[in-house]
């Protein structure tokens, strides 16, 4: 099926949404579509005054209680209507996203937007299932623990998977009665406005979900605002640390940090279906051209299996098609920006200078005339002291590490800083059950790499990959605080 379209006919609106109205105030920041570098609609940058308007609007909406005190069933009904509107508008939203981000149009229609409305429905269903507790009591006193929303939540999203991130950052918070100020990435700013306007159409009261545009300084103003009660942030580990510092400096606000990764894919000697392993390994580092937080970028493989596996992986990689995101056959989308591609070039050059060797790829795709497309690249002998080992490339780059002794292979899975996700390939049930406890990662997949289409399992890293969970019940509860109420009675 073809979803091809002409991006020049897609209307991209860049605005804040404050109190239910579009606001275009602010200096302008240019935006470039990654597929061909064409300049699209510039975004208005939220300065302190605009951030204050957005947060004050969210705070007012919270304190008037129209949403917070609505019956949970009424909140659920609005979220369900919102999900239905996203479904009805799926192709329109997909074209806006594909015309301005790294997400291919077919993936948006068949995957991202299905998961976005699915997540909304999941959280809508939770709205009336939040329970408190009675913990202690006697004839003269009773202690209740009551879950309550925080108030204004700041949701800060990265450039990758803008649609999914917009919903993950807002739906669970809204389901339990919070108000939200959402800041999409300055590189992928358009769809957040579309989602928020559909929420209004679904019946969400004005001000309960505001959108503000801007880059790092705007995000910092948001985090530092005194009426923000909690921050949910997804992005790089370096920015996460700055967010935490700002949150600590301005009221010790709680933060959930979903940060970067350098996720290992560990192949054990016993595994037999090498085609299945190769498919997972290739998808693990090539999906969204490696611009996935959980990308499996470190392949740890027995030396006896290495050559055979790499041949299969390279064959799959060669079948990937670099193309603009508005082409239905795009399976290797561009890097988000020229700046990010240049960062990958520099990291790669440094890693090679440190002693790494190229097995395949190793640079830009010369067949593409515009946009920053990267070849699937496989490296070996990447020294542990090198940037290629320490840091995320955030491009389609896999580093291969060979082992003889399985204990060494297992030890290699643990990275000195990142611990977001990992995968293990084995036919041995006992090892499949035993190994995950030896791997430091927030998620371990056995015989797969990548999040399954489900909403109930929590996602989130350990160590330098952050803390706190999104999705599932724990993701929902991260937007609640628990109040102890002692009732003294006769
Ligand atoms: P980034 O850290 O550059 O930016 C993320 C967001 O933070 C953007 O909206 C940006 O404008 C904002 N920001 C920048 N400086 C800020 C500051 N000082 N205060 C507040 N906000 C600020 O990340 P990116 O390049 O957009 O995204 C890629 C990164 O995100 C990768 O490291 C990737 O691994 C990570 N990521 C993690 C997950 C996860 O679930 N763990 C998911 C997706 C992406």
């Amino acid at each position: 099926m073809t979803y091809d379209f002409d991006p020049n006919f897609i209307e991209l609106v860049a605005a804040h949404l404050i109190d239910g109205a579009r606001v275009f105030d602010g200096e302008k920041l240019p935006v470039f579509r990654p597929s061909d570098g064409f300049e699209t609609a510039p975004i208005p940058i939220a300065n302190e005054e605009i951030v204050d308007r957005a947060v004050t609007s969210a705070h007012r909406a919270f304190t008037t209680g129209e949403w917070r005190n609505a019956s949970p069933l009424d909140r659920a009904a609005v979220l369900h209507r919102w999900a239905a509107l996203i479904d009805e508008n799926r192709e329109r939203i997909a074209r806006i996203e594909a015309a301005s981000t790294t997400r291919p149009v077919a993936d948006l229609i068949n995957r991202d937007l299905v998961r976005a409305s699915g997540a909304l429905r999941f959280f809508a269903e939770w709205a009336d299932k939040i329970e408190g507790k009675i913990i202690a009591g006697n004839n003269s006193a009773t202690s209740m623990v009551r879950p309550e929303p925080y108030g204004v939540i700041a949701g800060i999203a990265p450039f990758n998977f803008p649609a999914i991130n917009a919903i993950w950052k807002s739906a669970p918070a809204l389901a339990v009665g919070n108000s939200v100020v959402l800041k999409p990435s300055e590189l992928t700013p358009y769809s957040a406005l579309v989602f928020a306007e559909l929420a209004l159409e679904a019946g969400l009261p004005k001000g309960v979900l505001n959108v503000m545009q801007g880059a790092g300084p705007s995000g910092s103003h948001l985090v530092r605002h005194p009426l923000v009660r909690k921050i949910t942030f997804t992005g790089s580990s370096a920015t996460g640390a700055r967010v935490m510092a700002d949150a600590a400096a301005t009221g010790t606000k709680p933060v959930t940090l979903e940060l970067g990764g350098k996720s290992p894919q560990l192949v054990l000697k016993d595994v037999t279906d090498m085609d299945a392993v190769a498919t997972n390994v290739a998808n693990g580092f090539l999906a969204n051209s490696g611009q996935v937080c959980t990308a499996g970028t470190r392949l740890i493989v027995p030396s006896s299996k290495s050559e055979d596996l790499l041949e299969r992986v390279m064959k799959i990689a060669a079948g990937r098609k670099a193309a603009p995101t508005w082409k239905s056959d795009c399976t290797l989308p561009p890097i988000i920006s020229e700046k990010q591609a240049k960062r990958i070039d520099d990291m790669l050059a440094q890693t090679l200078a440190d002693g790494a060797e190229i097995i395949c790829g190793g640079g830009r795709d010369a067949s593409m005339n515009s946009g920053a497309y990267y070849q699937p690249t496989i490296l070996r002998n990447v020294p542990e002291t090198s940037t290629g080992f320490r840091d995320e490339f955030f491009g389609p780059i896999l580093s291969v590490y060979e082992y003889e002794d399985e204990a060494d292979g297992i030890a290699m899975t643990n990275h000195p800083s990142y611990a977001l996700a990992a995968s293990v390939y084995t036919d041995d049930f006992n090892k499949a059950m035993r190994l995950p406890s030896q791997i430091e990662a927030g998620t371990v997949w056995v015989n797969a790499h990548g999040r399954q289409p489900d909403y109930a399992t929590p996602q989130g890293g350990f160590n330098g990959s952050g803390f706190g969970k999104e999705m599932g019940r724990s993701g929902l509860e991260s937007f609640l605080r628990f109040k102890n109420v002692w009732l003294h009675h006769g």
Side-chain angles (χ1 to χ4, degrees):
M1 176 148 185
T2 179
Y3 303 105
D4 289 11
F5 69 96
D6 183 341
N8 297 312
F9 290 96
I10 302 302
E11 192 196 7
L12 299 174
V13 179
H16 317 292
L17 188 81
I18 300 177
D19 238 9
R22 291 180 180 183
V23 173
F24 293 89
D25 301 354
E27 268 181 58
K28 299 291 182 280
L29 185 71
V31 183
F32 301 90
R33 62 187 183 209
S35 290
D36 61 2
F38 182 87
E39 190 169 342
T40 52
I43 52 167
I45 300 170
N47 58 17
E48 245 178 307
E49 187 256 319
I50 292 167
V51 171
D52 183 56
R53 276 160 63 189
V55 175
T56 304
S57 156
H59 182 68
R60 198 182 313 115
F62 185 74
T63 48
T64 58
E66 193 184 348
W67 179 249
R68 172 201 185 172
N69 296 332
S71 94
L73 286 177
D74 287 344
R75 285 205 301 270
V78 170
L79 297 183
H80 276 298
R81 275 199 297 276
W82 187 12
L85 284 170
I86 292 174
D87 288 347
E88 279 167 32
N89 286 275
R90 188 178 302 159
E91 296 207 1
R92 177 172 76 89
I93 306 170
R95 284 193 282 270
I96 289 170
E97 282 283 72
S100 58
T101 78
T102 67
R103 300 298 297 139
V105 62
D107 286 355
L108 282 158
I109 290 176
N110 298 318
R111 179 188 178 282
D112 297 23
L113 292 167
V114 176
R115 292 190 187 185
S117 61
L120 250 175
R121 291 192 173 93
F122 174 82
F123 288 117
E125 286 300 318
W126 267 106
D128 65 341
K129 294 173 189 66
I130 304 299
E131 294 174 349
K133 282 181 192 158
I134 292 181
I135 293 214
N138 52 41
N139 279 345
S140 56
T142 302
S143 155
M144 297 187 291
V145 175
R146 294 173 18 165
E148 293 186 354
Y150 277 91
V152 180
I153 304 290
I156 301 179
F159 77 79
N160 60 342
F161 303 99
I164 289 175
N165 270 300
I167 297 301
W168 282 23
K169 294 268 163 262
S170 56
L174 295 173
V176 296
N178 296 284
S179 297
V180 174
V181 177
L182 175 66
K183 193 196 90 57
S185 164
E186 66 278 19
L187 304 174
T188 54
Y190 305 112
S191 59
L193 180 73
V194 180
F195 284 126
E197 290 187 333
L198 289 177
L200 284 175
E201 196 180 328
L204 193 73
K206 288 175 186 170
V208 174
L209 173 58
N210 297 298
V211 174
M212 50 158 276
Q213 306 287 355
S218 308
S220 178
H221 294 318
L222 176 61
V223 171
R224 297 176 75 89
H225 195 288
L227 290 176
V228 165
R229 294 283 178 259
K230 168 160 189 173
I231 297 112
T232 169
F233 170 84
T234 300
S236 62
S237 297
T239 310
R242 285 196 282 276
V243 166
M244 210 171 153
D246 273 345
T250 53
T252 49
K253 296 159 190 154
V255 292
T256 294
L257 297 180
E258 297 287 348
L259 308 178
K262 198 83 189 166
S263 301
Q265 304 200 55
L266 172 65
V267 181
L268 296 189
K269 288 181 183 167
D270 63 73
V271 77
T272 48
D273 186 348
M274 294 308 285
D275 275 336
V277 175
T279 301
N280 280 301
V281 168
N283 289 339
F285 85 101
L286 292 175
N288 206 29
S289 287
Q291 299 165 106
V292 180
C293 53
T294 53
T297 52
R298 293 187 297 127
L299 175 63
I300 301 167
V301 58
S303 49
S304 57
K305 287 190 175 307
S306 180
E307 197 180 324
D308 172 49
L309 178 58
L310 287 177
E311 249 173 49
R312 292 172 204 249
V313 170
M314 284 191 281
K315 202 165 152 204
I316 296 168
R320 292 271 177 156
K321 179 147 173 60
T325 44
W326 44 85
K327 296 283 183 195
S328 307
D329 60 355
C330 167
T331 50
L332 201 63
I335 301 300
I336 184 67
S337 65
E338 185 51 42
K339 186 175 165 203
Q340 173 61 13
K342 171 84 173 57
R343 182 180 161 273
I344 299 174
D345 289 340
D346 292 346
M347 274 184 71
L348 192 55
Q350 186 57 56
T351 305
L352 295 174
D354 289 344
E357 293 162 29
I358 291 177
I359 298 176
C360 72
R364 311 281 184 102
D365 185 335
S367 68
M368 303 300 287
N369 296 330
S370 56
Y373 294 83
Y374 232 85
Q375 294 174 309
T377 295
I378 304 182
L379 305 176
R380 71 171 153 228
N381 295 332
V382 176
E384 291 200 2
T385 49
S386 163
T387 178
F389 176 81
R390 288 193 319 266
D391 308 313
E392 279 179 304
F393 280 108
F394 229 54
I397 298 178
L398 179 73
S399 303
V400 181
Y401 304 87
E402 294 180 358
Y403 70 85
E404 304 297 332
D405 184 349
E406 203 158 280
D408 293 336
I410 296 166
M412 282 184 216
T413 57
N414 293 328
H415 190 270
S417 49
Y418 291 117
L420 186 59
S423 51
V424 179
Y425 301 96
T426 179
D427 292 353
D428 184 329
F429 175 77
N430 292 330
K431 287 182 181 169
M433 291 300 287
R434 215 169 45 227
L435 265 181
S437 65
Q438 295 175 49
I439 296 175
E440 275 209 277
T443 300
V444 178
W445 292 290
V446 178
N447 294 329
H449 191 99
R451 193 176 164 86
Q452 306 300 305
D454 89 285
Y455 311 109
T457 57
Q459 170 161 320
F462 300 158
N463 307 344
S465 294
F467 52 80
K469 297 291 175 195
E470 286 195 307
M471 298 309 292
R473 184 175 176 158
S474 32
L476 183 91
E477 287 184 346
S478 74
F479 292 106
L480 287 167
R481 53 188 182 181
F482 294 83
K483 181 177 284 174
N484 186 7
V485 177
W486 270 103
L487 289 174
H488 290 263
H489 39 80

